[in-house]
Protein backbone atom coordinates (compact mmCIF):
# COMPACT_ATOMS: atom_id res chain seq x y z
CA UNK A 1 0.00 0.00 0.00
CA UNK A 2 2.74 2.46 0.92
CA UNK A 3 6.40 2.55 0.03
CA UNK A 4 7.42 4.62 3.04
CA UNK A 5 6.13 6.77 5.90
CA UNK A 6 7.06 10.40 6.29
CA UNK A 7 6.28 13.25 8.67
CA UNK A 8 5.62 16.37 6.59
CA UNK A 9 4.77 19.86 7.78
CA UNK A 10 2.00 20.40 5.22
CA UNK A 11 -0.86 18.31 6.67
CA UNK A 12 -2.42 20.99 8.85
CA UNK A 13 -5.42 19.41 10.61
CA UNK A 14 -5.46 16.09 8.73
CA UNK A 15 -4.19 13.05 10.66
CA UNK A 16 -2.67 11.37 7.60
CA UNK A 17 -2.73 11.15 3.82
CA UNK A 18 -1.32 8.82 1.21
CA UNK A 19 0.32 10.87 -1.51
CA UNK A 20 1.94 9.95 -4.81
CA UNK A 21 5.60 9.09 -5.03
CA UNK A 22 7.77 11.81 -6.51
CA UNK A 23 7.99 10.01 -9.86
CA UNK A 24 4.81 7.97 -9.51
CA UNK A 25 1.37 8.42 -10.97
CA UNK A 26 -1.16 10.67 -9.30
CA UNK A 27 -4.29 9.09 -7.86
CA UNK A 28 -6.31 10.34 -10.84
CA UNK A 29 -3.83 8.98 -13.39
CA UNK A 30 -3.84 5.65 -11.58
CA UNK A 31 -7.65 5.58 -11.72
CA UNK A 32 -7.55 6.26 -15.46
CA UNK A 33 -4.95 3.51 -16.02
CA UNK A 34 -7.03 0.98 -14.03
CA UNK A 35 -10.11 1.92 -16.05
CA UNK A 36 -8.17 1.41 -19.29
CA UNK A 37 -6.86 -1.95 -18.10
CA UNK A 38 -10.37 -3.02 -17.14
CA UNK A 39 -11.69 -1.91 -20.54
CA UNK A 40 -9.09 -4.16 -22.19
CA UNK A 41 -10.06 -7.19 -20.15
CA UNK A 42 -7.39 -7.08 -17.45
CA UNK A 43 -8.86 -8.22 -14.15
CA UNK A 44 -8.54 -5.71 -11.28
CA UNK A 45 -6.09 -7.92 -9.36
CA UNK A 46 -3.80 -8.40 -12.36
CA UNK A 47 -2.71 -4.81 -12.68
CA UNK A 48 -0.65 -3.31 -9.90
CA UNK A 49 -2.19 -1.34 -7.11
CA UNK A 50 -0.71 2.10 -6.51
CA UNK A 51 2.03 2.55 -3.97
CA UNK A 52 2.23 5.90 -2.28
CA UNK A 53 3.85 7.67 0.64
CA UNK A 54 1.98 7.62 3.96
CA UNK A 55 2.30 11.07 5.49
CA UNK A 56 1.52 11.22 9.23
CA UNK A 57 0.77 14.29 11.31
CA UNK A 58 2.47 13.56 14.66
CA UNK A 59 0.58 16.43 16.32
CA UNK A 60 -2.88 15.07 15.48
CA UNK A 61 -4.85 13.53 18.39
CA UNK A 62 -5.59 10.35 16.37
CA UNK A 63 -1.88 9.66 15.88
CA UNK A 64 -0.96 10.53 19.47
CA UNK A 65 -3.72 8.33 20.89
CA UNK A 66 -2.88 5.45 18.55
CA UNK A 67 0.78 5.53 19.60
CA UNK A 68 -0.17 5.72 23.28
CA UNK A 69 -2.52 2.75 22.93
CA UNK A 70 0.24 0.45 21.66
CA UNK A 71 1.51 -1.98 24.30
CA UNK A 72 5.14 -1.66 25.41
CA UNK A 73 6.02 -5.08 24.00
CA UNK A 74 5.05 -4.98 20.31
CA UNK A 75 7.50 -7.67 19.23
CA UNK A 76 4.67 -10.07 18.47
CA UNK A 77 1.55 -8.97 16.65
CA UNK A 78 -0.56 -11.10 19.03
CA UNK A 79 0.15 -8.62 21.85
CA UNK A 80 -1.60 -5.78 20.00
CA UNK A 81 -5.34 -5.54 20.74
CA UNK A 82 -7.68 -5.96 17.76
CA UNK A 83 -9.17 -2.50 18.37
CA UNK A 84 -5.73 -0.90 17.99
CA UNK A 85 -5.07 -2.88 14.78
CA UNK A 86 -8.47 -1.82 13.42
CA UNK A 87 -7.75 1.81 14.30
CA UNK A 88 -4.40 1.71 12.49
CA UNK A 89 -5.96 0.10 9.40
CA UNK A 90 -8.87 2.56 9.40
CA UNK A 91 -6.37 5.42 9.61
CA UNK A 92 -4.55 3.97 6.58
CA UNK A 93 -7.86 3.55 4.71
CA UNK A 94 -8.85 7.12 5.58
CA UNK A 95 -5.46 8.45 4.42
CA UNK A 96 -5.68 6.39 1.23
CA UNK A 97 -9.13 7.75 0.37
CA UNK A 98 -8.06 11.30 1.29
CA UNK A 99 -5.24 10.98 -1.22
CA UNK A 100 -7.71 9.90 -3.90
CA UNK A 101 -6.53 6.29 -4.04
CA UNK A 102 -8.83 3.25 -3.80
CA UNK A 103 -8.96 0.99 -0.77
CA UNK A 104 -7.01 -2.16 -1.56
CA UNK A 105 -9.37 -4.69 0.03
CA UNK A 106 -13.00 -3.53 0.43
CA UNK A 107 -14.03 -6.80 2.15
CA UNK A 108 -11.45 -6.36 4.91
CA UNK A 109 -12.41 -2.69 5.20
CA UNK A 110 -16.04 -3.70 5.67
CA UNK A 111 -15.10 -6.29 8.31
CA UNK A 112 -13.07 -3.68 10.22
CA UNK A 113 -15.86 -1.13 10.08
CA UNK A 114 -18.36 -3.76 11.25
CA UNK A 115 -16.16 -4.54 14.28
CA UNK A 116 -15.83 -0.84 15.08
CA UNK A 117 -19.56 -0.23 14.77
CA UNK A 118 -20.33 -3.27 16.94
CA UNK A 119 -17.97 -1.99 19.60
CA UNK A 120 -19.16 1.63 19.48
CA UNK A 121 -22.84 0.66 19.54
CA UNK A 122 -22.34 -2.01 22.23
CA UNK A 123 -23.73 -4.81 20.06
CA UNK A 124 -22.88 -8.34 21.20
CA UNK A 125 -24.20 -10.29 18.21
CA UNK A 126 -25.06 -9.55 14.59
CA UNK A 127 -27.90 -12.06 14.66
CA UNK A 128 -30.87 -10.56 12.88
CA UNK A 129 -34.04 -9.81 14.81
CA UNK A 130 -37.23 -11.74 14.06
CA UNK A 131 -39.17 -10.76 10.97
CA UNK A 132 -41.68 -8.02 11.53
CA UNK A 133 -45.24 -8.12 10.35
CA UNK A 134 -46.01 -4.89 8.54
CA UNK A 135 -49.40 -3.42 9.33
CA UNK A 136 -52.04 -4.25 6.80
CA UNK A 137 -53.37 -1.31 4.84
CA UNK A 138 -57.09 -0.72 4.84
CA UNK A 139 -58.16 -0.95 1.20
CA UNK A 140 -61.30 1.02 1.94
CA UNK A 141 -59.43 3.92 3.51
CA UNK A 142 -60.77 7.33 2.64
CA UNK A 143 -58.78 8.81 -0.22
CA UNK A 144 -58.05 12.51 0.12
CA UNK A 145 -60.34 14.64 -1.99
CA UNK A 146 -58.34 16.47 -4.63
CA UNK A 147 -61.40 17.57 -6.57
CA UNK A 148 -61.34 21.33 -7.17
CA UNK A 149 -64.78 22.23 -8.55
CA UNK A 150 -64.16 26.01 -8.51
CA UNK A 151 -60.99 25.81 -10.60
CA UNK A 152 -61.53 26.41 -14.33
CA UNK A 153 -58.61 25.54 -16.64
CA UNK A 154 -60.54 26.67 -19.73
CA UNK A 155 -60.00 30.35 -18.94
CA UNK A 156 -56.18 30.07 -18.72
CA UNK A 157 -54.07 30.85 -21.82
CA UNK A 158 -50.78 28.96 -21.26
CA UNK A 159 -49.28 30.18 -24.54
CA UNK A 160 -49.23 33.81 -23.39
CA UNK A 161 -47.68 33.03 -19.99
CA UNK A 162 -43.98 33.59 -19.28
CA UNK A 163 -42.92 30.30 -17.74
CA UNK A 164 -39.38 31.44 -16.93
CA UNK A 165 -37.66 30.24 -20.08
CA UNK A 166 -38.74 26.63 -19.63
CA UNK A 167 -39.08 26.36 -23.39
CA UNK A 168 -42.75 25.46 -23.50
Amino acid sequence: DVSRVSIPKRLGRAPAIVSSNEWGNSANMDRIMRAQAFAHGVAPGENTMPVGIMELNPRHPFIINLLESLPEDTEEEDNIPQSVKDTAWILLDMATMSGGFPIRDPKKYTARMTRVLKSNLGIESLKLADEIEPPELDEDADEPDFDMPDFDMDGIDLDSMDLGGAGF
Side-chain angles (χ1 to χ4, degrees), residues 143-159:
E143 293 286 327
D145 187 17
F146 291 110
D147 192 23
M148 299 170 37
D150 297 335
F151 189 71
D152 181 22
M153 285 291 293
D154 293 332
I156 298 176
D157 182 16
L158 295 176
D159 292 330

Side-chain angles (χ1 to χ4, degrees), residues 7-8 22 45 59-60 136:
I7 298 176
E22 185 177 357
R59 297 175 48 225
H60 196 280
E136 299 219 6

Side-chain angles (χ1 to χ4, degrees), residues 4 7 9 18 22 24 28 43 50 66-67 78 80 105 115 142 148 165:
R4 65 185 170 99
I7 298 176
K9 294 183 180 181
V18 173
E22 185 177 357
N28 190 44
L66 179 64
L67 290 174
D78 295 340
I80 302 172
D105 192 342
R115 283 192 300 270
D142 292 337
M148 299 170 37

Side-chain angles (χ1 to χ4, degrees), residues 15-16 54 56 62-63 66 86-95:
M54 174 92 169
L56 294 176
F62 288 174
I63 305 299
L66 179 64
D86 286 342
T87 302
W89 276 105
I90 289 170
L91 183 65
L92 174 62
D93 293 335
M94 207 167 73

Side-chain angles (χ1 to χ4, degrees), residues 10 15 30 32 55 76 87 89 96:
R10 70 183 183 110
D30 181 70
I32 292 168
E55 298 180 20
E76 293 187 31
T87 302
W89 276 105
T96 301

Side-chain angles (χ1 to χ4, degrees), residues 17-18 26-28 30-31 34 50 94-102:
I17 191 168
V18 173
S26 68
N28 190 44
D30 181 70
R31 181 187 58 78
R34 278 185 285 113
M94 207 167 73
T96 301
M97 288 187 286
S98 293
F101 293 100

Side-chain angles (χ1 to χ4, degrees), residues 21-43:
N21 287 319
E22 185 177 357
W23 304 107
N25 293 328
S26 68
N28 190 44
M29 181 53 125
D30 181 70
R31 181 187 58 78
I32 292 168
M33 289 173 51
R34 278 185 285 113
Q36 288 293 321
F38 182 74
H40 293 292
V42 178

Side-chain angles (χ1 to χ4, degrees), residues 127-131:
K127 182 181 178 230
L128 298 179
D130 294 335
E131 283 286 331

